[in-house]
Amino acid sequence: MTTTNFQPPKNAEQLLKDRYFQDGEDWSGLCRRVAHWAAQISEEPKKDEEFFYSLMVQGKMLPNTPMLVNAGVNEKGCAAACFHLRPQDNIESILDVRAKAIMILKFGGGVGFDLSAIRPEGFPIASTHKFSCGPIRVMVDYNCAGNLITQAGIRKAALLASLRIDHPDIVKFIKAKRNLKELQNFNISVSFTDSFMKKLQGSSKKPHVVYWSGDQYNILPNGEPILRRDRGPKGVLSVGDVWKLYCESNSLNGDPGALFLDTVNKNNPLISSLNDTNNPFYLHGCNPCGELSLEHLGICLLASVDLAKFVQDGSF
């Protein structure tokens, strides 16, 4: 296949030198190293290496950072960029997820967390007779963990957090990155449901209802949840108010983003329905690349080679 080499602009060339090139490597050499490594799982490695190389060297397709850094360099580095971890509502799970995230970052991956299973801030914990720190403080702790280590030693930690729109701490989450100092390693996204979007269209002035442990709550103007049955005459945030707060925060600094949770799962072929939330393949948020394993790594690489064939067939 005839190729016309893509020439990275000066700023990209400097970034490549700082982060991606191995000793004595240039743009063509990087493309060759990655293509050779990726094609080893193919049934026709030489053919697919040349095609993968031609796509890269022409600037038509570029793999993620972990693959550019680790492919063909050592056997410890990660080739997948996105991993999804979901801490449960207990300290053991929260700390276990923290430890796993640090190891994923060490080998080059980024981590997304769905925090919706963590009880709201200030809610009681029966085992210790104390109160929950809530998902926002867990996110701050994970941000601190991200400061301990860089991704594969080349860049700051890439972390993402999501929270459902019907979680009682959703307003606190929406406003969390208005103070950027504590969460500089994070992008955040609100997981919107179809139910919320329908209410926004048809009944936006009604109180926004959130849920925890079988109870229904409204949200006070200060962001604190209050049981619906205890609200009395107190003013609470409407569906439209919550949407307005979301839009304001998004316009300030681009966060939170939006994840349309039901839309994602309607197109998820691995679950039976939107109620199949206990299925391990239900997508609660973030990117579902799984855990760090050779099996998942192989799937990611096969996807890269299949994409190359898809492009070659002229269907892309």
Side-chain angles (χ1 to χ4, degrees):
M1 178 180 295
T2 302
T3 62
T4 302
N5 283 12
F6 165 74
Q7 295 300 321
K10 289 184 179 180
N11 58 343
E13 182 77 19
Q14 187 59 50
L15 186 64
L16 287 165
K17 289 179 180 178
D18 293 341
R19 292 187 176 183
Y20 303 118
F21 288 160
Q22 299 298 306
D23 291 342
E25 200 170 62
D26 58 10
W27 170 244
S28 178
L30 179 147
C31 296
R32 177 60 65 185
R33 168 172 57 83
V34 174
H36 175 76
W37 185 79
Q40 296 312 299
I41 65 168
S42 171
E43 294 180 357
E44 299 180 272
K46 291 185 177 180
K47 178 181 178 181
D48 284 327
E49 176 184 337
E50 289 305 316
F51 182 65
F52 196 12
Y53 169 78
S54 72
L55 289 175
M56 290 182 63
V57 81
Q58 294 177 82
K60 291 184 176 180
M61 186 174 74
L62 193 65
N64 59 45
T65 286
M67 196 165 178
L68 295 178
V69 172
N70 296 319
V73 176
N74 59 60
E75 296 181 357
K76 295 182 179 180
C78 174
C82 305
F83 293 82
H84 179 208
L85 300 175
R86 192 167 191 256
Q88 298 302 299
D89 191 35
N90 60 77
I91 192 64
E92 293 82 7
S93 175
I94 290 169
L95 294 179
D96 179 57
V97 164
R98 188 184 198 269
K100 287 180 177 178
I102 290 174
M103 295 307 293
I104 290 170
L105 292 171
K106 175 182 178 180
F107 292 108
V111 188
F113 309 92
D114 177 61
L115 304 175
S116 302
I118 298 175
R119 77 185 65 193
E121 180 183 3
F123 278 42
I125 301 173
S127 60
T128 59
H129 305 287
K130 299 295 183 180
F131 302 96
S132 170
C133 67
I136 312 305
R137 298 312 303 176
V138 171
M139 182 165 56
V140 171
D141 179 66
Y142 289 169
N143 185 81
C144 292
N147 288 334
L148 295 176
I149 193 165
T150 55
Q151 280 186 255
I154 61 165
R155 65 178 183 179
K156 292 183 178 180
L159 304 175
L160 186 149
S162 63
L163 193 74
R164 287 180 61 102
I165 189 65
D166 52 14
H167 188 283
D169 277 355
I170 189 60
V171 169
K172 298 175 185 177
F173 183 79
I174 286 171
K175 293 181 176 181
K177 284 200 70 176
R178 294 188 184 189
N179 177 5
L180 297 177
K181 294 180 181 179
E182 290 187 313
L183 297 170
Q184 70 271 27
N185 295 317
F186 267 96
N187 295 318
I188 66 175
S189 288
V190 173
S191 295
F192 289 104
T193 61
D194 285 355
S195 174
F196 176 85
M197 300 309 294
K198 289 176 181 177
K199 290 177 182 177
L200 184 63
Q201 290 179 312
S203 52
S204 64
K205 293 183 179 181
K206 290 186 177 180
H208 179 49
V209 180
V210 295
Y211 305 88
W212 187 260
S213 190
D215 287 320
Q216 295 183 351
Y217 295 81
N218 294 135
I219 301 178
L220 297 169
N222 64 1
E224 294 293 336
I226 184 170
L227 281 165
R228 291 187 74 185
R229 61 177 177 265
D230 296 339
R231 188 185 81 196
K234 294 178 181 177
V236 294
L237 297 178
S238 68
V239 171
D241 291 332
V242 174
W243 176 254
K244 183 178 179 181
L245 286 171
Y246 166 79
C247 293
E248 288 173 349
S249 290
N250 182 277
S251 66
L252 284 172
N253 53 30
D255 272 310
L259 172 66
F260 294 101
L261 192 60
D262 290 338
T263 301
V264 170
N265 280 294
K266 284 176 183 176
N267 293 281
N268 181 356
L270 301 177
I271 64 173
S272 59
S273 72
L274 292 179
N275 295 322
D276 197 12
T277 55
N278 292 324
N279 188 317
F281 295 105
Y282 181 91
L283 305 182
H284 291 277
C286 314
N287 291 311
C289 289
E291 294 188 3
L292 194 59
S293 68
L294 291 176
E295 179 184 0
H296 286 99
L297 177 59
I299 291 171
C300 292
L301 294 181
L302 281 169
S304 297
V305 175
D306 288 345
L307 176 60
K309 291 180 178 179
F310 185 57
V311 176
Q312 189 176 35
D313 291 340
S315 303
F316 186 65

